Amino acid sequence: MKDGEPCTSRGVSTVLEGVTPRPLMKGSMAWRFLPYELYVMQVFLQEMRLKMKGIYNFDAWASNFGEVTTALELAPEGTGYRMRTRFNKFVNLPELMMMFREVADIILPEMLDIPKPKLKGGKYIIVESEASDYVLARMEEMVSRAEAIHNGMVNPREDNMLKITGEARLLGTDARLLDLNAPVDEDSKLNKAVRNIYKEYVDSMEDKGTQIVFSDIGTPGNGKKFTVYDYIKQELVLKGVPEEEICFIHDAKTDEQRDKLFSDLRSGRKRIILGSTDKLGTGTNIQDRIVALHHIDCPWKPSAIEQREGRGLRHGNRNEEVSVYRYVTKNSFDAYLWGIVETKQRFISQIMTSRELARDCEDVDETVLNFAEIKAVASGNPLIMEKMEVDNEVTRLRVLKSAYEGKRYILQDAFTFQYPQKIAARKKKLEILEEDIRVRDAEMEKNPLFEIVLRERKFTEQKEAGEFLRAIIEHTILYEELAIGTYKGFELAIEKNSDGAILYVKGGQTYEVEMKKSDSGNMIRLENTINGLDAKAEDIRQKIAGYQVEMENAKIEYEKEFQYEDLLKEKLRRQTEINTQLEIKEENEVIENVPEETVEAPQMAAAAR
């Protein structure tokens, strides 16, 4: 399919880079599946297939393949917690993916043997910043505004959650994006980013290592009094980085300018580039000298994060390791954003996997754990960090137990039904085969020499018998089985087909001998088939013995206990304790982060709200 052409119902080929499919349409970002997006893709590509299954709308699809779950998440204002019910679990996953793979080819990174750099130290570098007093005060204002909106006290034209979300996202990056006169915080996210960028710049001076700084917020533009890009550049220049070694992707307006800019980065003439996901994501090949990547903000989609990191963690980078920095501001909208990304990534991980699919899937992959960790750090509450760790451990242990129970079910079915049925079937086949061997041996005792009867004529010479058989075949109607004689106590029949003919040797079982051009060779193949019955019988005996061993092993494995049962019980107990301490409320209630010394009772905190 060419760029810009729509997909057709013939199918869609999906290639994942770090589990991220390439864009299907020109100009589109790499897509990732949430439940409704997967449904839309199936309607687009498999509408008739869905209707054959009785699925005519999203509700019907969701009732077959989805389930809602309730979990703790931060409120959008970033200052409290709430229980939120979301559609974030798949059921009947094997059937769903079997149907979807009729029109999609999914290739995962682990299926490809492509060398690429690893994360430095084996993990992401999470750089957390405390929210300043000014940021906390503004966040409190947003909490009050959000409550007023929630209670219907504000005209949506004057204030709404979308406006608060936008402002909170700016505030979590740098307060000056919202208020130019806001005080400068020396330990803010941007200032810590500047220090890390400069450190990586100095450390990679000898090799002219390059860095990418990503921010979809505070991009440069005419009339903007403060931007993230200009501030970072200004501070780096003050530290001694030559201005000509710093560039913005937004400065390249044409393809020629982009090519020149990318060439300068690959050669090391430019060392630091700042850009947004859209402009510096897909199609950017500047990985040659990348030593560090910096996420100033958190995008809305996991695919955007992977597109960013794919600029450096990519084949062609001469460095074996790359530092990836993720910056978060505690008690800000950062926490909520990382929570959203975590939820999306969890859903994606359940279907985009090369592992055997479970029927019900709540799996958490490594990427989800990274997002959860960042979300917890950003929340500023150590109990929330512990909750994230405990929740992840409980989920991991439940996945293991689910796999254990699923395996026990398979083992029980194996030694109760499958292996006994296989053994019984093989024994019956062996009995028939042994009877055929007895018939053959009895005939061989009477006459050990070659002797065959064709059309009531007896032949003792292989070549003569083969010629007569060829004549029979030539006068046989296509695809009509015809009885032609006997050999060593077995009935013989022939069937002609477009490729030649098959000779059927019928005893307790029927054995096939493919007819070739050599007349005498055909008779030798017939003899070999009859003489080879002993080997067939021995093969069956070995299979029976193998099945019996496997059946006993299945019984032993079935009786083994789940090795992490005690640990799971301990984590579940701690999870309950933490939920009690956090006083997790219902979906529409928010738990405020009120300092302990100001809270005499949960009822007073609720009344204060």
Side-chain angles (χ1 to χ4, degrees), residues 62 78 108 119 157 175 217 279 282 312 338 404 433 435 557 609:
L108 297 165
L119 283 173
R157 295 177 181 272
I217 294 175
K279 291 183 176 292
T282 307
W338 284 110
Y404 161 79
L433 191 54
E435 180 59 30
E557 286 295 318
R609 290 174 52 250

Side-chain angles (χ1 to χ4, degrees), residues 260-406:
K260 176 64 168 60
L261 187 62
F262 293 166
S263 176
D264 288 343
L265 286 161
R266 287 192 293 267
S267 65
R269 290 190 293 272
K270 291 192 180 295
R271 302 276 308 281
I272 301 166
I273 182 169
L274 292 88
S276 61
T277 310
D278 287 344
K279 291 183 176 292
L280 203 56
T282 307
T284 302
N285 296 315
I286 55 174
Q287 66 272 10
D288 301 48
R289 299 173 182 268
I290 297 294
V291 295
L293 301 166
H294 303 263
H295 296 281
I296 300 298
D297 64 337
C298 175
W300 288 102
K301 299 182 295 183
S303 59
I305 295 173
E306 292 183 5
Q307 281 296 327
R308 288 179 173 189
E309 294 175 1
R311 302 315 100 206
L313 300 174
R314 187 181 182 90
H315 177 64
N317 189 340
R318 63 181 65 178
N319 297 297
E320 294 182 358
E321 293 184 324
V322 174
S323 299
V324 178
Y325 294 84
R326 292 176 170 180
Y327 298 89
V328 295
T329 302
K330 290 184 177 180
N331 296 319
S332 75
F333 193 68
D334 278 359
Y336 184 71
L337 271 178
W338 284 110
I340 292 293
V341 172
E342 176 200 359
T343 300
K344 293 179 180 179
Q345 180 61 45
R346 178 182 286 109
F347 218 107
I348 293 159
S349 301
Q350 292 173 17
I351 60 173
M352 296 300 183
T353 177
S354 59
R355 293 171 291 178
E356 184 176 348
L357 293 171
R359 178 150 299 281
D360 299 339
C361 195
E362 288 183 299
D363 199 0
V364 181
D365 72 358
E366 184 179 356
T367 308
V368 173
L369 299 183
N370 288 328
F371 294 153
E373 182 182 1
I374 295 170
K375 180 178 69 171
V377 169
S379 71
N381 187 335
L383 200 58
I384 293 296
M385 171 65 93
E386 185 183 357
K387 175 174 173 56
M388 294 300 171
E389 293 173 352
V390 171
D391 285 351
N392 288 332
E393 185 67 4
V394 167
T395 300
R396 186 183 71 85
L397 292 172
R398 278 179 168 164
V399 169
L400 290 175
K401 186 167 184 179
S402 177
Y404 161 79
E405 291 174 345

Side-chain angles (χ1 to χ4, degrees), residues 109 153 181 561 580:
M153 300 169 59
N181 297 318
E561 295 183 356
T580 302

